[in-house]
Short mmCIF file of all heavy atoms in Angstrom, two decimals:
data_model
loop_
_atom_site.label_atom_id
_atom_site.label_comp_id
_atom_site.label_asym_id
_atom_site.label_seq_id
_atom_site.Cartn_x
_atom_site.Cartn_y
_atom_site.Cartn_z
N LEU A 169 -51.68 93.05 212.22
CA LEU A 169 -51.93 94.45 211.89
C LEU A 169 -51.24 95.41 212.84
O LEU A 169 -50.99 96.57 212.48
CB LEU A 169 -53.44 94.72 211.87
CG LEU A 169 -54.21 94.04 210.74
CD1 LEU A 169 -55.71 94.30 210.89
CD2 LEU A 169 -53.72 94.50 209.37
N ARG A 170 -50.92 94.96 214.04
CA ARG A 170 -50.17 95.78 214.98
C ARG A 170 -48.66 95.66 214.78
O ARG A 170 -47.87 96.23 215.52
CB ARG A 170 -50.53 95.42 216.42
CG ARG A 170 -51.93 95.84 216.84
CD ARG A 170 -52.04 97.35 217.05
NE ARG A 170 -53.34 97.72 217.61
CZ ARG A 170 -54.28 98.37 216.95
NH1 ARG A 170 -54.08 98.76 215.70
NH2 ARG A 170 -55.43 98.67 217.53
N GLY A 171 -48.27 94.88 213.76
CA GLY A 171 -46.86 94.82 213.40
C GLY A 171 -46.04 93.75 214.07
O GLY A 171 -44.82 93.73 213.93
N LEU A 172 -46.68 92.82 214.78
CA LEU A 172 -45.93 91.75 215.42
C LEU A 172 -45.42 90.76 214.37
O LEU A 172 -46.09 90.52 213.36
CB LEU A 172 -46.79 91.01 216.44
CG LEU A 172 -46.78 91.53 217.89
CD1 LEU A 172 -47.25 92.96 217.97
CD2 LEU A 172 -47.61 90.62 218.79
N PRO A 173 -44.26 90.16 214.60
CA PRO A 173 -43.76 89.15 213.66
C PRO A 173 -44.63 87.90 213.71
O PRO A 173 -45.40 87.69 214.65
CB PRO A 173 -42.34 88.87 214.17
CG PRO A 173 -42.33 89.30 215.59
CD PRO A 173 -43.31 90.43 215.69
N ILE A 174 -44.49 87.06 212.70
CA ILE A 174 -45.36 85.90 212.56
C ILE A 174 -45.30 84.99 213.79
O ILE A 174 -46.35 84.50 214.25
CB ILE A 174 -45.01 85.12 211.28
CG1 ILE A 174 -45.49 85.90 210.06
CG2 ILE A 174 -45.62 83.72 211.30
CD1 ILE A 174 -45.16 85.25 208.73
N ALA A 175 -44.13 84.76 214.35
CA ALA A 175 -44.03 83.86 215.50
C ALA A 175 -44.88 84.36 216.66
O ALA A 175 -45.55 83.57 217.34
CB ALA A 175 -42.57 83.72 215.93
N GLN A 176 -44.87 85.66 216.91
CA GLN A 176 -45.65 86.22 218.02
C GLN A 176 -47.14 86.25 217.68
O GLN A 176 -47.99 86.00 218.55
CB GLN A 176 -45.13 87.61 218.35
CG GLN A 176 -43.71 87.60 218.90
CD GLN A 176 -43.15 88.99 219.16
OE1 GLN A 176 -43.86 89.99 219.04
NE2 GLN A 176 -41.87 89.06 219.52
N ALA A 177 -47.48 86.55 216.43
CA ALA A 177 -48.88 86.53 216.02
C ALA A 177 -49.45 85.12 216.15
O ALA A 177 -50.60 84.93 216.58
CB ALA A 177 -49.02 87.01 214.57
N LEU A 178 -48.64 84.11 215.83
CA LEU A 178 -49.07 82.72 215.93
C LEU A 178 -49.33 82.36 217.39
O LEU A 178 -50.34 81.72 217.72
CB LEU A 178 -47.98 81.81 215.35
CG LEU A 178 -48.31 80.34 215.16
CD1 LEU A 178 -49.39 80.16 214.11
CD2 LEU A 178 -47.03 79.57 214.76
N GLU A 179 -48.46 82.78 218.28
CA GLU A 179 -48.64 82.50 219.71
C GLU A 179 -49.89 83.20 220.24
O GLU A 179 -50.67 82.60 220.99
CB GLU A 179 -47.39 82.94 220.48
CG GLU A 179 -47.35 82.42 221.90
CD GLU A 179 -46.01 82.64 222.57
OE1 GLU A 179 -45.01 82.86 221.86
OE2 GLU A 179 -45.98 82.61 223.81
N ASN A 180 -50.08 84.44 219.85
CA ASN A 180 -51.29 85.15 220.29
C ASN A 180 -52.55 84.49 219.76
O ASN A 180 -53.57 84.40 220.46
CB ASN A 180 -51.23 86.61 219.84
CG ASN A 180 -50.37 87.48 220.73
OD1 ASN A 180 -49.93 87.05 221.80
ND2 ASN A 180 -50.11 88.70 220.30
N GLY A 181 -52.51 84.03 218.51
CA GLY A 181 -53.65 83.35 217.95
C GLY A 181 -54.00 82.09 218.72
O GLY A 181 -55.17 81.84 219.04
N CYS A 182 -52.99 81.29 219.05
CA CYS A 182 -53.22 80.07 219.82
C CYS A 182 -53.79 80.39 221.20
O CYS A 182 -54.69 79.69 221.69
CB CYS A 182 -51.92 79.28 219.96
SG CYS A 182 -51.41 78.44 218.45
N TRP A 183 -53.29 81.44 221.82
CA TRP A 183 -53.79 81.82 223.15
C TRP A 183 -55.25 82.23 223.06
O TRP A 183 -56.07 81.83 223.90
CB TRP A 183 -52.94 82.97 223.70
CG TRP A 183 -53.27 83.34 225.11
CD1 TRP A 183 -52.76 82.78 226.26
CD2 TRP A 183 -54.20 84.35 225.53
NE1 TRP A 183 -53.31 83.39 227.36
CE2 TRP A 183 -54.19 84.35 226.95
CE3 TRP A 183 -55.02 85.25 224.87
CZ2 TRP A 183 -54.98 85.23 227.70
CZ3 TRP A 183 -55.80 86.11 225.59
CH2 TRP A 183 -55.79 86.10 227.00
N CYS A 184 -55.61 83.00 222.04
CA CYS A 184 -57.01 83.43 221.88
C CYS A 184 -57.92 82.23 221.64
O CYS A 184 -59.04 82.17 222.17
CB CYS A 184 -57.13 84.43 220.74
SG CYS A 184 -56.40 86.05 221.08
N GLY A 185 -57.46 81.29 220.85
CA GLY A 185 -58.25 80.09 220.62
C GLY A 185 -58.47 79.31 221.90
O GLY A 185 -59.57 78.78 222.15
N ALA A 186 -57.44 79.23 222.74
CA ALA A 186 -57.56 78.51 224.02
C ALA A 186 -58.53 79.20 224.97
O ALA A 186 -59.25 78.53 225.73
CB ALA A 186 -56.18 78.38 224.67
N GLN A 187 -58.57 80.53 224.92
CA GLN A 187 -59.55 81.24 225.77
C GLN A 187 -60.97 80.93 225.32
O GLN A 187 -61.89 80.79 226.12
CB GLN A 187 -59.31 82.75 225.72
CG GLN A 187 -57.91 83.21 226.07
CD GLN A 187 -57.38 82.55 227.32
OE1 GLN A 187 -57.94 82.67 228.41
NE2 GLN A 187 -56.29 81.81 227.18
N ALA A 188 -61.16 80.82 224.00
CA ALA A 188 -62.51 80.66 223.46
C ALA A 188 -63.15 79.35 223.88
O ALA A 188 -64.37 79.30 224.12
CB ALA A 188 -62.45 80.74 221.94
N VAL A 189 -62.38 78.27 223.96
CA VAL A 189 -62.99 76.95 224.22
C VAL A 189 -63.38 76.75 225.68
O VAL A 189 -64.05 75.78 226.01
CB VAL A 189 -62.04 75.81 223.78
CG1 VAL A 189 -61.72 75.93 222.30
CG2 VAL A 189 -60.77 75.77 224.61
N GLN A 190 -62.98 77.68 226.55
CA GLN A 190 -63.20 77.46 227.98
C GLN A 190 -64.52 78.04 228.49
O GLN A 190 -64.87 77.85 229.66
CB GLN A 190 -62.02 78.04 228.77
CG GLN A 190 -60.72 77.34 228.44
CD GLN A 190 -59.56 77.80 229.30
OE1 GLN A 190 -59.46 77.45 230.47
NE2 GLN A 190 -58.65 78.57 228.72
N ILE A 191 -65.26 78.71 227.61
CA ILE A 191 -66.57 79.25 227.99
C ILE A 191 -67.56 79.01 226.86
O ILE A 191 -67.16 78.95 225.69
CB ILE A 191 -66.51 80.76 228.33
CG1 ILE A 191 -65.88 81.56 227.20
CG2 ILE A 191 -65.77 81.00 229.63
CD1 ILE A 191 -65.87 83.04 227.44
N PRO A 192 -68.84 78.87 227.16
CA PRO A 192 -69.82 78.63 226.09
C PRO A 192 -69.98 79.86 225.19
O PRO A 192 -69.85 80.99 225.63
CB PRO A 192 -71.13 78.36 226.87
CG PRO A 192 -70.71 78.06 228.27
CD PRO A 192 -69.45 78.84 228.50
N GLY A 193 -70.27 79.60 223.92
CA GLY A 193 -70.54 80.69 222.99
C GLY A 193 -69.46 80.84 221.94
O GLY A 193 -68.29 80.50 222.16
N ALA A 194 -69.86 81.37 220.79
CA ALA A 194 -68.96 81.46 219.65
C ALA A 194 -68.05 82.68 219.69
O ALA A 194 -67.02 82.71 219.02
CB ALA A 194 -69.77 81.47 218.36
N ASN A 195 -68.42 83.72 220.43
CA ASN A 195 -67.63 84.95 220.43
C ASN A 195 -67.59 85.60 221.81
O ASN A 195 -67.53 86.81 221.94
CB ASN A 195 -68.19 85.94 219.40
CG ASN A 195 -69.70 86.09 219.52
OD1 ASN A 195 -70.21 86.46 220.58
ND2 ASN A 195 -70.42 85.81 218.44
N THR A 196 -67.64 84.75 222.83
CA THR A 196 -67.74 85.24 224.20
C THR A 196 -66.40 85.36 224.91
O THR A 196 -66.35 85.84 226.05
CB THR A 196 -68.66 84.32 225.02
OG1 THR A 196 -68.25 82.96 224.82
CG2 THR A 196 -70.11 84.46 224.59
N ALA A 197 -65.32 84.91 224.28
CA ALA A 197 -64.00 85.00 224.91
C ALA A 197 -63.67 86.46 225.23
O ALA A 197 -63.80 87.34 224.37
CB ALA A 197 -62.93 84.42 223.99
N GLN A 198 -63.29 86.71 226.46
CA GLN A 198 -62.97 88.08 226.89
C GLN A 198 -61.51 88.39 226.57
O GLN A 198 -60.63 88.30 227.43
CB GLN A 198 -63.27 88.23 228.38
CG GLN A 198 -64.75 88.08 228.72
CD GLN A 198 -65.63 89.02 227.92
OE1 GLN A 198 -65.43 90.24 227.94
NE2 GLN A 198 -66.60 88.46 227.20
N LEU A 199 -61.28 88.73 225.33
CA LEU A 199 -59.92 89.00 224.86
C LEU A 199 -59.54 90.43 225.17
O LEU A 199 -60.25 91.36 224.80
CB LEU A 199 -59.83 88.74 223.35
CG LEU A 199 -60.30 87.36 222.87
CD1 LEU A 199 -60.11 87.24 221.36
CD2 LEU A 199 -59.56 86.25 223.60
N ASP A 200 -58.43 90.59 225.84
CA ASP A 200 -57.92 91.92 226.20
C ASP A 200 -56.57 92.09 225.51
O ASP A 200 -55.65 91.28 225.75
CB ASP A 200 -57.76 92.01 227.72
CG ASP A 200 -57.36 93.40 228.19
OD1 ASP A 200 -56.58 94.07 227.48
OD2 ASP A 200 -57.80 93.82 229.28
N PRO A 201 -56.40 93.12 224.68
CA PRO A 201 -55.14 93.25 223.94
C PRO A 201 -53.92 93.39 224.83
O PRO A 201 -52.81 93.04 224.41
CB PRO A 201 -55.36 94.51 223.10
CG PRO A 201 -56.51 95.23 223.73
CD PRO A 201 -57.36 94.18 224.35
N SER A 202 -54.11 93.87 226.04
CA SER A 202 -52.96 94.04 226.93
C SER A 202 -52.60 92.77 227.68
O SER A 202 -51.55 92.70 228.33
CB SER A 202 -53.25 95.16 227.95
OG SER A 202 -54.32 94.80 228.80
N HIS A 203 -53.45 91.74 227.61
CA HIS A 203 -53.22 90.50 228.33
C HIS A 203 -52.77 89.35 227.44
O HIS A 203 -52.62 88.22 227.93
CB HIS A 203 -54.48 90.09 229.11
CG HIS A 203 -54.82 91.03 230.22
ND1 HIS A 203 -56.06 91.08 230.82
CD2 HIS A 203 -54.07 92.01 230.82
CE1 HIS A 203 -56.07 92.00 231.76
NE2 HIS A 203 -54.88 92.59 231.78
N LEU A 204 -52.58 89.59 226.17
CA LEU A 204 -52.10 88.54 225.28
C LEU A 204 -50.66 88.19 225.62
O LEU A 204 -49.95 89.00 226.23
CB LEU A 204 -52.18 89.01 223.82
CG LEU A 204 -53.48 88.72 223.07
CD1 LEU A 204 -54.69 89.31 223.76
CD2 LEU A 204 -53.39 89.19 221.63
N PRO A 205 -50.18 87.00 225.26
CA PRO A 205 -48.77 86.66 225.51
C PRO A 205 -47.81 87.73 224.98
O PRO A 205 -46.80 88.03 225.60
CB PRO A 205 -48.60 85.33 224.78
CG PRO A 205 -49.96 84.72 224.76
CD PRO A 205 -50.91 85.88 224.62
N TRP A 206 -48.15 88.26 223.80
CA TRP A 206 -47.43 89.39 223.24
C TRP A 206 -48.42 90.53 223.13
O TRP A 206 -49.19 90.62 222.18
CB TRP A 206 -46.85 89.04 221.87
CG TRP A 206 -45.84 87.93 221.94
CD1 TRP A 206 -46.07 86.60 221.74
CD2 TRP A 206 -44.46 88.05 222.29
NE1 TRP A 206 -44.92 85.88 221.93
CE2 TRP A 206 -43.91 86.74 222.26
CE3 TRP A 206 -43.63 89.13 222.62
CZ2 TRP A 206 -42.57 86.50 222.55
CZ3 TRP A 206 -42.30 88.88 222.90
CH2 TRP A 206 -41.78 87.58 222.87
N PRO A 207 -48.45 91.41 224.15
CA PRO A 207 -49.48 92.46 224.21
C PRO A 207 -49.48 93.35 222.99
O PRO A 207 -48.45 93.61 222.37
CB PRO A 207 -49.10 93.25 225.48
CG PRO A 207 -48.30 92.28 226.30
CD PRO A 207 -47.55 91.44 225.31
#
């Protein structure tokens, strides 16, 4: 939705998934839009 190409959206998605598994809870990942691989 922010206009990133598919390759970058895919990388950001994988990064967000990796953050999620490292702490307990279904929605507790502290995702910061400026800290994604492709901010």
Side-chain angles (χ1 to χ4, degrees):
L169 292 176
R170 290 286 187 250
L172 269 60
I174 287 178
Q176 295 177 6
L178 189 66
E179 193 170 341
N180 280 351
C182 286
W183 186 87
C184 290
Q187 305 314 299
V189 301
Q190 298 186 74
I191 54 176
N195 48 57
T196 49
Q198 296 305 304
L199 306 182
D200 185 324
S202 64
H203 293 163
L204 270 57
W206 297 95

